[in-house]
Amino acid sequence: MHVLVTGGAGYIGSHTCLELLDAGYTVSVVDNLCNSSRIALTRVEELCGKKINFIELDLLDMQGLSQVFSRHPDIGAVIHFAGLKAVGESVEQPLRYYQNNLIGTLNLCEAMAKHGVKHIVFSSSATVYGTPARLPIQEDFPTSATNPYGRSKLMIEEMLADLHISDQTWQVVLLRYFNPVGAHPSGRIGEDPKGIPNNLMPYITQVAAGRLKELNVFGNDYPTIDGTGVRDYLHVVDLAKGHVKALEYTQKRSGVFIYNLGTGQGSSVLEMVRAFMEANKIDIAYRISPRRPGDIAECYADASLALRELGWQTEYGLTDMCRHAWNWQKNNPEGYPPSA
């Protein structure tokens, strides 16, 4: 099958492209490179010895998007990663998030419908659960959102569900990620945020590499084990494999399928810092800062449905996540080099 991956040059997208190619899929990528690197895909090609068809394109370009499907009529499914993703930034710039994430997805769905491609795996988020009433979080929990980023994900989920209601030949998979961290064990591809990182692990690795002076820990007064926020961290390679499993499972089934992808274990920010220091024998300086707007105290998954239906479960532990993240950063202290 030929799979179109939107945002495929990004952190999760590039790892998923590698897993797709290794599984025998043909892969095309559309990405506007606003928070990603073309070099990531070059390295994916080197790792697996296969080619990726890359198109630099913004999903807001409806005409260009339609041309992608016209030129590649064998595309049978889409994995949709493309979107802005920083919680804090979404609170500051809500209209930018709604325009980019919602209109981009609307354009994508219209182009897919026009060309008869009705199989989509969507990169959703645990943020759609808002502040959960209890833990661990199950797929049938009520949804809400505490920030514009999460609301954009929830709106897209609803949009895709409505598509299936209108035409039941659509195959829709909503993958609700918890907190992806780590990097490919080769150290060739990893997380390379532009500017100051919004996520914990790249912030830690950049402090370890000397790019940043210290880690900001946002809040130490949450009702958690040590006052810092608790999240369900999973290895990005495990997450990438979850997309391949979802694609395989739903190829012969129509419906709307929802799966949590997480480990089922919560770790606090300070527990992650200690795990990184122990795994890599590096001290990480940090200071406590005020809470970020839109953050919640605890969030971790019940991922048993993905195990039962997809046969998916995580393989890497916290030590692996920390070692692989540092292996990527020390081999690429400034991230990906500028594209030629």
Side-chain angles (χ1 to χ4, degrees):
M1 179 189 282
H2 187 169
V3 181
L4 177 67
V5 183
T6 74
Y11 173 44
I12 304 170
S14 58
H15 286 79
T16 301
C17 286
L18 179 55
E19 295 301 327
L20 287 168
L21 291 166
D22 281 344
Y25 290 91
T26 300
V27 175
S28 287
V29 167
V30 294
D31 199 304
N32 67 3
L33 302 179
C34 77
N35 191 31
S36 57
S37 171
R38 176 69 179 88
I39 293 172
L41 296 181
T42 301
R43 293 186 178 182
V44 167
E45 292 174 329
E46 292 169 355
L47 285 168
C48 67
K50 298 178 181 178
K51 286 294 185 181
I52 293 171
N53 175 45
F54 174 71
I55 306 107
E56 186 172 349
L57 180 73
D58 195 304
L59 296 190
L60 298 179
D61 179 359
M62 183 62 191
Q63 182 177 359
L65 192 55
S66 185
Q67 288 174 352
V68 170
F69 287 95
S70 295
R71 291 170 181 167
H72 303 280
D74 60 331
I75 290 173
V78 173
I79 299 181
H80 180 32
F81 294 107
L84 299 173
K85 60 179 184 177
V87 168
E89 185 181 67
S90 79
V91 175
E92 297 167 0
Q93 304 175 41
L95 295 183
R96 178 170 171 244
Y97 270 67
Y98 290 132
Q99 179 189 46
N100 185 88
N101 294 2
L102 297 181
I103 303 304
T105 304
L106 180 61
N107 287 348
L108 175 64
C109 291
E110 287 184 349
M112 290 174 67
K114 178 181 177 182
H115 294 274
V117 181
K118 298 181 180 181
H119 190 176
I120 184 168
V121 177
F122 174 55
S123 163
S124 192
S125 167
T127 58
V128 303
Y129 294 112
T131 303
R134 65 184 190 277
L135 295 166
I137 297 170
Q138 297 174 331
E139 288 87 350
D140 60 357
F141 276 23
T143 54
S144 63
T146 60
N147 54 73
Y149 164 72
R151 274 187 282 276
S152 75
K153 291 290 190 182
L154 187 53
M155 290 176 187
I156 291 168
E157 284 197 4
E158 293 169 347
M159 183 192 309
L160 294 174
D162 286 340
L163 259 182
H164 175 73
I165 291 171
S166 70
D167 178 355
Q168 296 193 2
T169 62
W170 276 84
Q171 300 152 287
V172 175
V173 188
L174 310 175
L175 297 181
R176 293 173 176 168
Y177 310 163
F178 282 68
N179 290 70
V181 298
H184 192 265
S186 67
R188 295 289 288 157
I189 56 173
E191 189 169 9
D192 182 25
K194 296 187 178 179
I196 301 297
N198 291 294
N199 297 328
L200 176 62
M201 186 59 79
Y203 213 122
I204 291 175
T205 61
Q206 288 190 20
V207 171
R211 289 177 62 181
L212 295 171
K213 179 182 177 182
E214 59 188 1
L215 170 69
N216 283 307
V217 176
F218 295 106
N220 67 342
D221 57 349
Y222 288 106
T224 62
I225 187 171
D226 54 23
T228 64
V230 168
R231 297 293 183 269
D232 186 338
Y233 297 97
L234 75 155
H235 199 291
V236 66
V237 172
D238 284 331
L239 178 58
K241 290 179 179 178
H243 292 77
V244 179
K245 290 281 192 180
L247 202 60
E248 292 170 350
Y249 179 78
T250 58
Q251 278 179 16
K252 297 182 180 179
R253 297 170 175 85
S254 63
V256 178
F257 305 89
I258 302 172
Y259 300 105
N260 289 336
L261 296 185
T263 66
Q265 301 292 322
S267 300
S268 76
V269 173
L270 291 183
E271 284 177 329
M272 283 296 287
V273 171
R274 286 193 291 272
F276 183 89
M277 292 194 294
E278 290 172 8
N280 298 300
K281 312 304 179 189
I282 297 172
D283 287 332
I284 300 296
Y286 66 87
R287 66 183 174 90
I288 305 299
S289 299
R291 294 186 185 188
R292 293 184 301 189
D295 277 349
I296 62 174
E298 288 189 278
C299 183
Y300 56 92
D302 178 338
S304 58
L305 183 63
L307 174 60
R308 289 197 305 273
E309 295 194 356
L310 305 183
W312 176 88
Q313 61 184 332
T314 58
E315 299 175 9
Y316 292 104
L318 212 58
T319 298
D320 299 314
M321 300 176 205
C322 293
R323 285 178 177 165
H324 294 164
W326 177 234
N327 187 40
W328 149 257
Q329 191 72 76
K330 70 182 180 183
N331 288 326
N332 303 271
E334 300 299 323
Y336 291 112
S339 298

